[in-house]
Amino acid sequence: MLKVFLISSAFCLLPSALILGIQVKQVQAVYLNNNLVKKSKINGDVLTQALTTSASNLELQAQKFFEKGDFSASIPLLESAINNYATQRDNYSQIRALRNLGLVYLKLGKWQDAEAALNNCLNLIQQISNIQKTEKITASVLEVKGQLKLSIGQSEAALDTWKEASEIYEKIGDSLGFTRSGINQSQALQALGLYSQAFKQLTRAKQNLEEQPDTIIKAKALQSLGDVLRGIGQLSESQKVLESSLVIAENLQATEEISIILISLGNTSILLDNPQAANLFYQRAIQESPIVEIKIQAMLNQLNLSVEQKQYLTATELVTNIDDSLNQLSASQPGIYARINLAQNLIELRKEVLANGNNKPLYPPAKIADYLVTAVQQARSLEDARAESYGLGTLGTLYEHNQQWNEARELTEKALILAQSINAADIVYQWEWQLGRILTVTGNKNEAIVAYSQSVKSLQALRSDIVAISSELKFDFRDSVEPIYRELVELLLEPATPGKTDISQKNLKQARQVIEALQLAELDNFFRNACLDAKPVEVDRVDKNAAIFYTIILRDRLAVILAIPEKPLVYYSTNISRAEVDSKIETMLTALTFPQKRIFIENYLEPAAEIYQWLISPAEELLQDSQIKTLVFVLEGRLRSIPLASLYNDDTQEYVIDNYNVAIAPSLELIDPKPLARKKLEVLGMGITESRQGFPPLPNVRQELKDIQAQASSEILLNELFTENEANTEVADTPYQVIHIATHGEFSSNVEDTFILTWDDRINVEELRSMIKSGVQQTRPVELLVLSACRTATGDERATLGLAGVAVRAGARSTIASLWYVSDEATAVLMKNLYEQLTDSTITKAEALRRAQRKILRDAQIREVNSEFEHPYFWSTFVLVGNWL
């Protein structure tokens, strides 16, 4: 698992040369005055000057230690300066020094000491009668207080604190302070998973700075914006903005900021699948950074990359360099987390080496344990319970991998108790998961289920935070979140009797809920935002003639839980590995989409029949007895990429659509269960016939839209009329039941690469949602969104997440879209059939699609249309996602 070690200095502080409030010229004047002070007569005024000069010198020395990363050495100097200022009753200077002391404690992870120093600042401020004089220093104290709140996990409190600072800066006309506070607010918004708001905040900051000269604040604003863009999946934009930030920092020769931006560029490059560029950025950061802490961060990111790329020799050299650099750090939070991160990489590296058959791992457990023991000891000395929990939990991970189960459990439980004591829910779920794994291996199944269930519960309570955690890496979700759900389902579906399927209804119900929760978590991860409003729905309330199939691919079997109204849940499984499932699905898709394979229908029927045996065959009798008309599938993995309507019953030689309607539900909890009466059908049709933006022409789109006009009351936006602005205006003016878009588009596992082509641009998922929901006339949801001529991204095994994402986020009750691109001739025929059926208000949308598909199949069989269309490739590509009623 690739884990990027993120920059801890994301907060936008005052430039380091001004952090102590002493200008360089003032410092020079202080030294020039020293000799004069010694020669002068010691009276009250001269003594005051001497004390003030001494305090200023102490602050200057403290600043030098601070800039070198030797935070502990700054403390006695600042304390002496504070005492001197107190003697002179110089409250303003005392507040400034206390603020900086609080900042030093913050860097060391001494939260209570930092809070005490900042509270002292605020108390002293209240003693100054001239409020105008204290406004700026108050705002600067609030900036540090906001950092403290964010560091201890109080993201909302941090946001509120920075908003207060921002209001003060706006009031006194300090534009840089106002912008800086806005940048800080974006950090809190990111921690809350509110990436869209963070993006808006940083965009405003960028606009405020555009007309101003290049400054470090400007560079920081762009760097933060680049990080947010990476977080929401806009990788190309992230790279551009970070490059602009780097240019400014280089022109200013701001070496610290340059190195931080380089690390950000490296992180973005990883997500752009360019590890070589990432490595070069990290290497530059190592060479150019004047600060050991940042060098270590860059080296750790390089190490992560080397482990992921299986470059073991490079990894070995990096570990040596990191080890040497760690010895230069004092006991501080950055040093603690660097040791923990190093240990995590070494554990992963050790696993990789052992997996390759090498019985002599590069790093013995004792060496890895040394890093973690040191980290735990330092965390305790700093009274940093969060870091201590991380250290203990990672030590538990090491013992887990070394199969020392008792020690692993003891350490994990200690880490969990510590995390719970400080309400650190974002790490609580990790140790609950780890405890569940250990309990499973040691045969404590019931206790393991409890631990896993608690972990899932913690994840659900942390929806926004998990989005923020997993958004930094492309598929980190699959490594650090998704397995928890799968492993719990596997435990719940473990038969009481080996070889049997005797699973309690209680376990089946919980497993079904966990599968629903996994579907929701995947979509949250896709959107980079916990934006979906999920509500539990009972199948009986949705449709008494619908059966819901929940599928999940476990390590050694494909499991199916079947829900039929007014009946107990049914469970069955097929003993088959994920690799075998994926292979069979790939065979089916190849037989569908490759022209050479389509020549012989047998190439398709064989895998289609086998998958039918897995999913539907065991339930055939029950479906018939229950008079089921519609099969609704809650799918996961590669199963989402196949057309279930064309699965084949080898015994009866029938496709699924010969007997059942078919629908896909990303999650039943996301389905609006209310059927909407379709009175007079009103359709907004939009499309492109000509070649645009490098995409080929779609000549049959014109006829497709004409056929829709013949069946329903329609407004058509064709070619140059089909722009986002025109579409928004049209939707705003008329409450359409159906929106039909006949144009190129692509569904991807990356929200940034999921789009629909317009005449002059591309519409992404969020823009499509805004368009559909923007109209004041849209007093009711759009009944159906039809996306014609779109397809799933080639070679992207999770691309159907994009299809599900569009379906869910677009705001329509249902979406009909294609799994692959088919000829626009076949699409035009199918769409004509579909709208003929949709005008019949007595049937469901799923039934309308089924009839449309069967008509193509039957007409091809009797040569009423192109006989080639008999192949499922031509009629089964379109699927109904969402409400099927």
Side-chain angles (χ1 to χ4, degrees):
M1 175 173 59
L2 181 60
K3 292 183 178 178
V4 171
F5 189 64
L6 298 174
I7 307 291
S8 61
S9 52
F11 310 113
C12 191
L13 295 172
L14 292 165
S16 57
L18 300 177
I19 199 164
L20 297 174
I22 306 171
Q23 299 284 359
V24 174
K25 289 183 179 178
Q26 291 177 322
V27 172
Q28 291 172 343
V30 166
Y31 283 114
L32 288 172
N33 286 333
N34 276 347
N35 290 330
L36 294 175
V37 170
K38 291 176 184 177
K39 295 177 181 178
S40 298
K41 181 182 177 183
I42 306 298
N43 55 32
D45 291 338
V46 176
L47 180 60
T48 299
Q49 184 183 11
L51 288 170
T52 303
T53 301
S54 175
S56 299
N57 279 330
L58 290 167
E59 283 195 89
L60 179 66
Q61 292 173 47
Q63 178 173 322
K64 289 181 177 178
F65 282 120
F66 183 92
E67 290 174 347
K68 291 178 181 178
D70 191 354
F71 306 123
S72 296
S74 298
I75 294 174
L77 296 169
L78 286 170
E79 287 176 338
S80 295
I82 290 164
N83 289 333
N84 283 357
Y85 289 134
T87 301
Q88 296 306 304
R89 297 181 181 177
D90 184 352
N91 286 349
Y92 192 85
S93 296
Q94 190 180 353
I95 292 165
R96 186 189 64 223
L98 273 167
R99 170 202 179 273
N100 291 322
L101 181 62
L103 183 59
V104 171
Y105 282 133
L106 177 62
K107 284 285 189 179
L108 289 168
K110 294 187 174 183
W111 316 126
Q112 293 180 347
D113 290 335
E115 188 166 22
L118 296 173
N119 286 339
N120 284 340
C121 287
L122 296 173
N123 290 334
L124 283 169
I125 287 170
Q126 291 178 356
Q127 297 174 25
I128 299 175
S129 57
N130 188 342
I131 297 175
Q132 291 182 338
K133 186 178 179 182
T134 62
E135 284 180 326
K136 187 164 186 175
I137 192 69
T138 300
S140 71
V141 171
L142 290 173
E143 283 192 77
V144 180
K145 186 178 178 182
Q147 295 170 43
L148 172 63
K149 294 296 182 185
L150 190 62
S151 297
I152 61 178
Q154 297 179 13
S155 304
E156 289 186 9
L159 182 60
D160 290 340
T161 303
W162 281 324
K163 281 181 178 178
E164 190 178 347
S166 186
E167 288 169 2
I168 295 172
Y169 282 130
E170 186 175 28
K171 178 184 174 184
I172 63 177
D174 186 337
S175 60
L176 279 180
F178 177 77
T179 301
R180 192 169 59 242
S181 292
I183 298 168
N184 285 335
Q185 286 175 53
S186 76
Q187 307 299 325
L189 290 167
Q190 289 176 67
L192 290 166
L194 302 173
Y195 276 85
S196 58
Q197 291 186 37
F199 175 74
K200 289 177 184 176
Q201 185 72 254
L202 288 166
T203 301
R204 283 195 295 269
K206 181 187 174 195
Q207 290 169 348
N208 291 339
L209 291 166
E210 277 178 352
E211 301 303 320
Q212 297 184 20
D214 289 347
T215 61
I216 292 180
I217 298 296
K218 192 172 186 177
K220 283 181 178 291
L222 290 171
Q223 184 230 326
S224 295
L225 180 58
D227 288 343
V228 169
L229 287 166
R230 181 175 63 246
I232 61 177
Q234 296 187 25
L235 303 179
S236 298
E237 278 301 307
S238 171
Q239 186 177 38
K240 289 177 186 176
V241 170
L242 289 170
E243 286 171 349
S244 298
S245 175
L246 182 62
V247 169
I248 294 172
E250 287 177 333
N251 288 340
L252 295 171
Q253 297 182 351
T255 53
E256 179 181 349
E257 188 59 30
I258 288 170
S259 54
I260 292 173
I261 297 167
L262 288 169
I263 293 176
S264 286
L265 277 165
N267 296 347
T268 296
S269 296
I270 288 177
L271 300 189
L272 285 167
D273 293 322
N274 194 344
Q276 292 82 9
N279 190 59
L280 290 173
F281 283 126
Y282 295 146
Q283 190 59 42
R284 266 193 70 190
I286 293 166
Q287 292 168 350
E288 298 192 20
S289 174
I291 299 175
V292 175
E293 175 187 334
I294 297 176
K295 286 181 182 289
I296 292 174
Q297 290 172 343
M299 285 190 284
L300 283 166
N301 282 12
Q302 265 195 321
L303 177 60
N304 290 326
L305 190 56
S306 298
V307 172
E308 181 71 11
Q309 299 285 313
K310 296 181 171 43
Q311 297 172 346
Y312 302 131
L313 288 177
T314 302
T316 304
E317 293 174 7
L318 281 165
V319 171
T320 301
N321 293 336
I322 294 167
D323 190 51
D324 291 341
S325 298
L326 280 173
N327 294 328
Q328 300 176 42
L329 288 181
S330 59
S332 62
Q333 191 184 60
I336 293 167
Y337 283 110
R339 285 180 171 84
I340 293 170
N341 187 276
L342 176 58
Q344 289 172 335
N345 274 284
L346 292 177
I347 291 170
E348 194 66 28
L349 184 59
R350 187 169 181 272
K351 280 170 55 183
E352 290 283 348
V353 172
L354 287 172
N356 289 334
N358 188 337
N359 293 322
K360 295 181 179 179
L362 294 171
Y363 298 96
K367 176 66 174 175
I368 303 172
D370 284 344
Y371 290 118
L372 293 169
V373 169
T374 300
V376 169
Q377 289 172 343
Q378 290 184 356
R380 283 177 182 163
S381 70
L382 297 177
E383 298 180 352
D384 187 345
R386 185 182 183 87
E388 184 182 350
S389 176
Y390 261 124
L392 286 170
T394 307
L395 196 54
T397 306
L398 176 62
Y399 277 104
E400 178 193 3
H401 288 303
N402 212 39
Q403 299 184 8
Q404 294 173 262
W405 307 117
N406 291 335
E407 294 85 350
R409 177 174 179 174
E410 182 181 352
L411 287 162
T412 303
E413 287 175 338
K414 285 181 178 178
L416 178 57
I417 290 168
L418 264 176
Q420 289 170 333
S421 71
I422 57 172
N423 297 317
D426 58 313
I427 53 175
V428 163
Y429 89 89
Q430 298 179 55
W431 306 144
E432 287 169 336
W433 175 26
Q434 184 162 293
L435 182 59
R437 296 196 304 268
I438 295 164
L439 291 167
T440 300
V441 172
T442 53
N444 298 294
K445 179 183 174 181
N446 291 334
E447 289 182 71
I449 288 175
V450 171
Y452 270 106
S453 300
Q454 286 296 325
S455 184
V456 167
K457 187 177 179 181
S458 297
L459 281 170
Q460 289 175 301
L462 268 172
R463 281 179 65 191
S464 294
D465 295 297
I466 292 304
V467 169
I469 290 167
S470 60
S471 65
E472 279 296 337
L473 296 175
K474 198 169 188 178
F475 293 139
D476 188 51
F477 173 86
R478 302 181 75 178
D479 298 320
S480 60
V481 177
E482 184 179 334
I484 303 172
Y485 294 89
R486 293 188 180 284
E487 290 164 19
L488 175 54
V489 171
E490 192 157 8
L491 276 173
L492 291 166
L493 298 182
E494 189 175 283
T497 307
K500 303 290 184 180
T501 56
D502 51 338
I503 298 165
S504 69
Q505 283 294 304
K506 177 185 175 183
N507 279 14
L508 286 176
K509 287 177 181 177
Q510 186 179 353
R512 174 186 172 185
Q513 290 169 354
V514 175
I515 293 172
E516 286 273 3
L518 173 58
Q519 300 287 328
L520 188 62
E522 278 199 290
L523 287 169
D524 281 346
N525 180 251
F526 171 79
F527 290 121
R528 299 291 189 259
N529 198 343
C531 55
L532 304 174
D533 184 18
K535 297 177 183 177
V537 175
E538 293 296 330
V539 64
D540 299 50
R541 289 182 55 238
V542 179
D543 184 357
K544 291 186 180 296
N545 297 114
I548 315 294
F549 291 77
Y550 293 88
T551 69
I552 188 161
I553 306 169
L554 303 174
R555 283 180 301 176
D556 59 352
R557 63 195 187 279
L558 169 60
V560 179
I561 298 174
L562 175 61
I564 292 180
E566 301 176 358
K567 293 188 182 297
L569 293 174
V570 175
Y571 169 72
Y572 49 90
S573 65
T574 303
N575 293 329
I576 188 169
S577 69
R578 175 177 285 273
E580 291 172 303
V581 171
D582 288 348
S583 175
K584 188 60 64 176
I585 289 171
E586 189 59 38
T587 300
M588 178 178 170
L589 289 173
T590 300
L592 267 173
T593 57
F594 276 58
Q596 298 89 339
K597 291 286 186 179
R598 289 206 306 269
I599 295 173
F600 302 104
I601 188 68
E602 292 77 13
N603 290 333
Y604 173 76
L605 295 181
E606 183 274 324
E610 187 164 356
I611 296 173
Y612 181 93
Q613 288 291 321
W614 299 345
L615 301 183
I616 301 172
S617 186
E620 278 178 335
E621 188 175 336
L622 184 57
L623 295 173
Q624 292 169 8
D625 291 345
S626 303
Q627 298 182 331
I628 295 299
K629 295 180 181 178
T630 302
L631 309 184
V632 181
F633 292 87
V634 179
L635 301 167
E636 62 97 19
R638 293 297 304 278
L639 287 169
R640 294 191 186 107
S641 63
I642 59 175
L644 298 168
S646 64
L647 293 183
Y648 191 68
N649 186 334
D650 213 10
D651 295 331
T652 62
Q653 297 188 346
E654 293 176 305
Y655 294 108
V656 168
I657 64 160
D658 287 318
N659 298 294
Y660 300 104
N661 310 321
V662 177
I664 307 299
S667 165
L668 201 63
E669 292 186 358
L670 297 173
I671 298 296
D672 180 354
K674 300 173 186 175
L676 220 102
R678 296 192 306 277
K679 298 176 183 177
K680 183 182 178 182
L681 204 61
E682 293 182 327
V683 181
L684 172 60
M686 299 177 278
I688 296 174
T689 62
E690 300 178 19
S691 174
R692 300 297 293 176
Q693 300 177 49
F695 287 87
L698 296 168
N700 284 286
V701 163
R702 189 181 299 274
Q703 185 60 47
E704 181 179 327
L705 295 178
K706 280 185 178 179
D707 289 339
I708 293 172
Q709 274 188 310
Q711 296 295 331
S713 174
S714 306
E715 181 67 31
I716 302 298
L717 301 178
L718 187 64
N719 290 332
E720 64 272 8
L721 294 179
F722 177 31
T723 64
E724 187 177 354
N725 286 338
E726 286 290 335
N728 281 331
T729 300
E730 191 59 44
V731 172
D733 291 341
T734 308
Y736 291 102
Q737 291 171 292
V738 178
I739 294 179
H740 182 105
I741 304 176
T743 182
H744 289 288
E746 189 159 291
F747 309 122
S748 166
S749 61
N750 188 338
V751 69
E752 184 186 32
D753 298 326
T754 297
F755 66 90
I756 294 163
L757 194 73
T758 63
W759 180 256
D760 59 347
D761 205 350
R762 297 181 180 188
I763 297 176
N764 63 31
V765 177
E766 273 305 302
E767 290 165 340
L768 182 64
R769 183 193 69 83
S770 297
M771 180 184 80
I772 289 176
K773 290 191 172 183
S774 64
V776 294
Q777 300 297 323
Q778 294 292 353
T779 54
R780 62 189 183 199
V782 171
E783 177 72 10
L784 178 63
L785 170 66
V786 180
L787 300 174
S788 173
C790 296
R791 66 173 186 129
T792 53
T794 305
D796 184 346
E797 66 176 28
R798 300 177 83 220
T800 43
L801 268 180
L803 190 157
V806 167
V808 169
R809 194 68 174 138
R813 289 180 183 275
S814 316
T815 299
I816 290 178
S818 54
L819 292 169
W820 60 85
Y821 175 70
V822 71
S823 72
D824 64 328
E825 179 189 356
T827 299
V829 174
L830 186 136
M831 290 303 160
K832 180 182 178 182
N833 295 345
L834 175 65
Y835 282 93
E836 286 175 354
Q837 299 302 325
L838 285 173
T839 56
D840 183 351
S841 60
T842 65
I843 65 172
T844 65
K845 286 169 283 188
E847 175 72 15
L849 179 59
R850 172 180 171 241
R851 289 184 183 184
Q853 291 175 322
R854 288 192 73 211
K855 189 172 190 307
I856 284 189
L857 176 59
R858 297 289 178 256
D859 287 352
Q861 289 171 337
I862 62 174
R863 303 300 187 265
E864 288 289 326
V865 296
N866 189 336
S867 61
E868 188 182 23
F869 290 177
E870 184 178 350
H871 196 284
Y873 168 77
F874 292 97
W875 55 261
S876 70
T877 179
F878 284 92
V879 295
L880 175 68
V881 184
N883 185 307
W884 59 90
L885 299 174

